[in-house]
Amino acid sequence: MFSLEFSDIQQTIWETAKRFAEEVIAPGAIDRDKSGEFPKDILKQVGELGFLGIMVPEEYGGTGLDTVSYVLALKEIAKADASVAIPISVQNSLVDWIFLHYGSDLLKEKYLKHLATGEYIGAYSLSEPDAGSDARMIRTRAEKNGNDWILNGFKNWVSTGHHSDVYVVFAQTNPEIQHKGITAFAIEKDTPGFEPMKKEDKMGMHASDTVSIALTNVKVPNENIIGKVGEGFYIAMKALNGGRIGIAAQSLGIAEAALERSVRYAKERLVMGKPLADHELTQYKLAQMAMKVSAAEMLVLKAAFLRDSGADHIRAASEAKLFASTIANEVAREAVQIHGGYGYTREYVVERLMRDAKVTEIYEGTSEIQNIVIARQILKEID
Ligand code: COS
């Protein structure tokens, strides 16, 4: 990434993340992809580095840095193992952010302080079997009962669903007013009736567990409402604006890894008496891949800078996510092609990059949704 305008601290975070990713995360990536083992010990160390509360102020136990530092760190982690980047992205972009901006003092004390240090892992639970892209259609119901709320329903696609301590769960409190009736709740693991179910058997991102959750008469105290009753949909969407920047950084990490592996392989592999890298067709492929990675870097950093400056960044976040996830898939696919038969084996990693890349076009808003968001923004912005 270009580093012209990075501050000393941003530079330090970037270098620390890069070293940690190369020394601690990368070595076990192939094994975790095969076994699906959750990187519990790695996350503990990530927490100790302050990377599970990067943008949380120090008064709540966080590192007190900005979005630019966050994307630099996340990109390096994703480059080593994109599935390890998932819980880090969810924690920073979604869960920490929601508690920081909408949590009461009590909830900040109860959860944010433990999330920011990495003592707790957090999950975000919006999607349901019949409400994915059309998030406003969620049917999980929360009904008031004295000082508590009783939740019933079914959630799916919850990242880190088996390993989280606290879940931000969105439920409908007043179906008549549709999305204006959605409310956010903080639910602790082991709450009776709150049951993370089967782990999905996915194409990629194997070290990240994705689960469904059944909620049967789950009693949640009123004090665990995040924000106001009826504010949940807006909280979910605003958090996803940051989340999409995180997924863009993750996609960029995958694309960079695919590019670098391709360049190294092309220099070593002899074809028709000369290195693959000396063949013009390969050079063309590498040039296209490099250009796409550079353009994605710009969009990721632009979105992060805008968010840090307090400017509206809905369009920039969606553009970064749409573009970076698209090129991550293109670059990873091309990397497999450059590696030929070897690229199709697990030994050369690029096939994992190709499998891992796919979901970046799906989660935290599909590419189709990002196009809708961008179009709506430009239709508003341009007279
Ligand atoms: N940032 C801030 N506010 C947003 C927002 C965003 N990105 N997107 C929507 N909103 C607000 C709108 O401004 C609108 O406010 P009002 O009630 O004041 O009018 C409200 O939310 C409803 O939005 P809208 O009318 O655009 O709703 P739609 O159902 O037409 O579309 C989309 C909303 C499709 C953009 C939204 O549902 C979406 O992003 N879906 C994808 C969900 C997703 O990413 N799921 C993945 C979860 S993680 S696996």
Side-chain angles (χ1 to χ4, degrees):
M1 265 193 190
F2 69 92
S3 60
L4 277 180
E5 296 183 43
F6 296 149
S7 65
D8 288 350
I9 183 75
Q10 288 165 343
Q11 192 71 32
T12 305
I13 293 296
W14 185 13
E15 284 162 16
T16 307
K18 188 168 159 50
R19 202 165 46 246
F20 181 78
E22 285 170 0
E23 290 172 7
V24 181
I25 299 178
I30 292 177
D31 288 346
R32 283 190 299 273
D33 178 53
K34 286 183 186 157
S35 69
E37 189 194 336
F38 183 72
K40 207 170 177 187
D41 291 344
I42 290 179
L43 273 191
K44 191 166 175 288
Q45 294 177 63
V46 170
E48 284 160 7
L49 281 173
F51 287 177
L52 288 174
I54 297 182
M55 295 167 290
V56 176
E58 288 175 26
E59 64 176 303
Y60 299 116
T63 311
L65 298 176
D66 53 13
T67 316
V68 170
S69 306
Y70 168 53
V71 296
L72 291 170
L74 195 64
K75 188 267 288 180
E76 292 303 334
I77 289 165
K79 199 168 161 183
D81 184 347
S83 58
V84 172
I86 292 179
I88 301 171
S89 162
V90 170
Q91 185 118 338
N92 283 286
S93 302
L94 304 178
V95 182
D96 288 351
W97 188 87
I98 288 173
F99 279 112
L100 178 65
H101 291 274
Y102 292 94
S104 61
D105 289 347
L106 180 87
L107 294 184
K108 286 192 175 84
E109 197 64 37
K110 232 164 119 179
Y111 303 119
L112 182 60
K113 282 189 169 174
H114 303 280
L115 288 159
T117 55
E119 192 189 332
Y120 285 1
I121 298 297
Y124 172 99
S125 176
L126 174 66
S127 299
E128 298 182 2
D130 295 320
S133 290
D134 47 352
R136 61 155 85 201
M137 301 307 286
I138 61 166
R139 289 201 300 227
T140 292
R141 188 78 168 90
E143 286 172 296
K144 190 97 197 276
N145 182 4
N147 281 334
D148 299 314
W149 290 80
I150 306 297
L151 275 70
N152 281 287
F154 197 84
K155 294 286 181 183
N156 65 355
W157 312 128
V158 183
S159 294
T160 328
H162 280 165
H163 298 275
S164 289
D165 301 282
V166 58
Y167 298 71
V168 175
V169 176
F170 297 90
Q172 182 52 267
T173 45
N174 187 351
E176 281 171 21
I177 51 174
Q178 295 192 353
H179 69 281
K180 292 186 196 297
I182 293 173
T183 302
F185 294 85
I187 303 184
E188 291 179 22
K189 71 168 180 186
D190 299 333
T191 303
F194 186 79
E195 282 176 82
M197 317 265 292
K198 81 175 168 73
K199 178 178 161 186
E200 300 294 345
D201 188 6
K202 303 186 307 254
M203 173 193 281
M205 300 291 197
H206 290 163
S208 158
D209 56 314
T210 308
V211 309
S212 309
I213 297 178
L215 294 96
T216 313
N217 295 325
V218 179
K219 194 159 98 176
V220 183
N222 199 42
E223 67 186 33
N224 273 29
I225 284 187
I226 311 171
K228 299 193 192 89
V229 171
E231 204 179 5
F233 188 76
Y234 302 96
I235 296 175
M237 290 299 120
K238 286 181 185 160
L240 282 171
N241 293 332
R244 288 165 183 169
I245 301 175
I247 303 306
Q250 181 191 41
S251 309
L252 178 59
I254 295 173
E256 263 193 35
L259 172 63
E260 287 179 15
R261 284 181 182 276
S262 299
V263 170
R264 289 193 193 109
Y265 183 80
K267 283 182 183 173
E268 281 168 15
R269 172 78 174 158
L270 296 178
V271 178
M272 294 171 192
K274 59 180 183 181
L276 200 49
D278 288 353
H279 292 266
E280 280 187 13
L281 251 180
T282 308
Q283 290 178 2
Y284 172 78
K285 286 181 195 292
L286 293 174
Q288 290 292 312
M289 291 159 79
M291 174 189 70
K292 289 172 183 174
V293 168
S294 294
E297 277 174 15
M298 297 297 170
L299 288 183
V300 171
L301 285 171
K302 177 184 172 185
F305 274 116
L306 280 178
R307 188 167 169 87
D308 287 338
S309 71
D312 180 31
H313 55 279
I314 296 178
R315 173 181 162 193
S318 285
E319 286 177 349
K321 202 244 178 203
L322 175 59
F323 188 79
S325 62
T326 304
I327 70 100
N329 280 273
E330 291 170 358
V331 173
R333 194 176 60 236
E334 201 67 293
V336 172
Q337 191 67 18
I338 287 172
H339 283 70
Y342 296 105
Y344 201 61
T345 67
R346 284 194 154 184
E347 200 184 336
Y348 280 77
V349 174
V350 286
E351 65 82 38
R352 186 187 91 228
L353 299 176
M354 186 173 154
R355 285 185 287 108
D356 285 352
K358 184 57 208 169
V359 75
T360 65
E361 293 182 312
I362 298 172
Y363 60 19
E364 300 206 14
T366 60
S367 294
E368 289 76 5
I369 288 294
Q370 306 312 327
N371 275 293
I372 290 172
V373 173
I374 296 164
R376 286 183 183 176
Q377 291 300 313
I378 53 173
L379 288 168
K380 269 194 263 173
E381 283 166 23
I382 303 170
D383 295 330

